[in-house]
Amino acid sequence: MQFFGGSEISPSPPVPTASGNNAHMMYVFNRNGVCLLYREWNRLLHTLNAQQDHKLMFGLLFSLKSLTAKMDPTNAEKGNLGVPQLSGQGCSFHSFRTNTYKLSFMESPSGIKVVQWNFLDLGHALPSTSGIVDLAYGGITYMEMIFVSNEQAVLTQHRKECIFVDLGSDFILQFIVVVWTGDLRESLKYIYNLYVEYVVKNPLYAPGTPIRSELFNTSLDQYSILILGHKSTISSDGGLFIFLLSRHPAPIKNVLCRYVLLISELCAHYFS
Amino acid sequence: MGREVSESCVDSLLTEIVSTYNNRFYANKPELAARRIEAIGYQVGHQLSERYTMERPRFSDHLEAIKFICKDFWSELFKKQIDNLKTNHRGTFVLQDNRFRWLSRISTDPSVENTESQDPSAAAESKASLATMHVYFPCGIIRGALSNLGIPCAVSADISNLPACKELLLSYSVLSFYDI
């Protein structure tokens, strides 16, 4: 158990205009860089137009792959950096994560690349839920994260669950369970199977053209609902976060002393 | 039955047959391409019916032969039986398969369907017109199988609701289309 205690007073976070919750994007490229499929759910920011976006994405994947292949310590012979590699040769990265999103990647031996972006919205969850709290309780001016857990025992059926506990005298405890996306390679393999079933075997499909298949779209939608909505197997990337919100800009230490018992009881109850 | 072939290979082969005959051998002559494909199916059906009726006694009448097609022959080829069989007792039979295996993956552009018209039947028709070439081969197979069992006939297919497929068999009579 870690306690983050801070004596500085953090200003109230601004109320966001839109929440970045559950933003999700998917790309499928073929070996020549043609973007066969691009789907998005709840994407907030479109910085480039579609064409440039796809080219940028493909370039990123290509560069990362060649970089990881070149840096591979287990492989004796490597080509020069930038030399295109066969699909199975060398090692290939399969995901990277920043503080706002996680990108998962899978490449098939035929050069079909499936990419999935998942937005980790803890940073965004904070302002958005405080907006809700503000509405309910009014006038939140102080917020501090007091507990972070990385236990694998935090398993819920929901992607993010938020509980408010009113401690009285203007303090509110907010529990947020955030499930970060784990290893998505199985999911990408499933999507690749869908591609083979409904696109490759479709007699009306011309290889190398963008995918326009209703069957593929509906099966992909169904699968997305399944993985975006409920995730019953969670990797160790889960977290329980407890925030203390207050209407007064008071230092937190007094509150901690009074409520540490309550907090530990609640944690024990949640983990069991 | 001895050796087996992967189903994906058969699917790819059928797709390629249609594509090659339409685009390379008989480009701009869809009628000819259709007839050639159907002739290939006729050969295949002829030989398949020999194999699948090896241990059976001779069929007593036409209905028995058609029932063999609907049950055993269809399950050997498509792993399921025909869902519905209708006849007018005057030589016309309609076989209905609600999920025809070789057409089950055909799918068209959804955005085109949305913009064109609000009429769902029009969208289904355009999809069907794209898929008609793919249906000549199975028709040929049925025709070949039946003629080997002693029933000369003509077979045509109606695919207005994909993936359902209705085959129409007419024994020694003039072609006429039957719309259900």
Side-chain angles (χ1 to χ4, degrees), chain A residues 41-255:
Chain A
W41 293 266
N42 295 337
R43 182 177 181 176
L44 284 182
L45 199 61
H46 294 82
T47 46
L48 304 164
N49 75 1
Q51 287 291 348
Q52 290 174 321
D53 192 46
H54 300 332
K55 274 199 270 189
L56 184 66
M57 194 71 225
F58 186 76
L60 170 74
L61 296 174
F62 181 82
S63 317
L64 274 176
K65 246 172 44 92
S66 49
L67 199 65
T68 50
K70 184 78 176 147
M71 288 202 310
D72 184 9
T74 60
N75 196 359
E77 54 165 55
K78 307 161 208 177
N80 295 322
L81 193 60
V83 170
Q85 299 236 308
L86 296 178
S87 299
Q89 229 179 22
C91 66
S92 164
F93 83 101
H94 43 81
S95 65
F96 71 78
R97 183 193 291 171
T98 71
N99 60 341
T100 45
Y101 64 85
K102 175 169 184 171
L103 181 142
S104 314
F105 170 73
M106 188 206 80
E107 183 172 17
S108 80
S110 56
I112 301 292
K113 304 174 181 25
V114 186
V115 185
Q116 205 173 25
W117 283 54
N118 282 300
F119 283 84
L120 313 172
D121 47 9
L122 181 62
H124 298 139
L126 185 47
S128 70
T129 48
S130 77
I132 299 171
V133 175
D134 224 7
L135 240 61
Y137 294 94
I140 302 292
T141 57
Y142 183 85
M143 180 178 298
E144 179 155 336
M145 184 154 66
I146 56 174
F147 177 75
V148 168
S149 136
N150 229 353
E151 307 282 1
Q152 207 164 2
V154 181
L155 292 178
T156 65
Q157 299 298 322
H158 302 284
R159 194 175 177 79
K160 188 180 76 175
E161 190 181 334
C162 187
I163 306 169
F164 292 102
V165 176
D166 194 346
L167 300 179
S169 55
D170 291 329
F171 284 100
I172 300 155
L173 265 184
Q174 181 187 29
F175 287 74
I176 301 181
V177 177
V178 176
V179 175
W180 292 355
T181 52
D183 190 3
L184 278 182
R185 264 181 299 170
E186 291 306 317
S187 156
L188 293 178
K189 279 198 194 119
Y190 186 83
I191 292 169
Y192 178 70
N193 280 331
L194 285 182
Y195 164 79
V196 167
E197 265 311 301
Y198 292 119
V199 176
V200 174
K201 292 188 181 175
N202 183 3
L204 303 177
Y205 172 71
T209 59
I211 297 172
R212 305 235 178 278
S213 163
E214 205 179 334
L215 277 177
F216 180 66
N217 288 344
T218 37
S219 55
L220 196 63
D221 282 335
Q222 284 172 350
Y223 184 64
S224 307
I225 290 170
L226 195 68
I227 57 172
L228 288 181
H230 304 277
K231 209 165 186 186
S232 50
T233 59
I234 297 169
S235 72
S236 58
D237 289 353
L240 171 69
F241 302 87
I242 306 183
F243 296 92
L244 193 71
L245 300 97
S246 155
R247 288 199 190 89
H248 306 292
I252 198 170
K253 293 191 180 74
N254 310 340
V255 183

Side-chain angles (χ1 to χ4, degrees), chain B residues 5 39 44 47 131 140 146 159 166 171 175:
Chain B
V5 176
V44 175
Q47 290 157 350
L146 281 174
I159 43 170
K166 293 194 195 80
S171 27
L175 271 175

Side-chain angles (χ1 to χ4, degrees), chain B residues 103-115:
Chain B
L103 299 178
S104 59
R105 295 189 187 97
I106 290 192
S107 182
T108 49
D109 190 352
S111 59
V112 169
E113 287 175 17
N114 284 338
T115 53

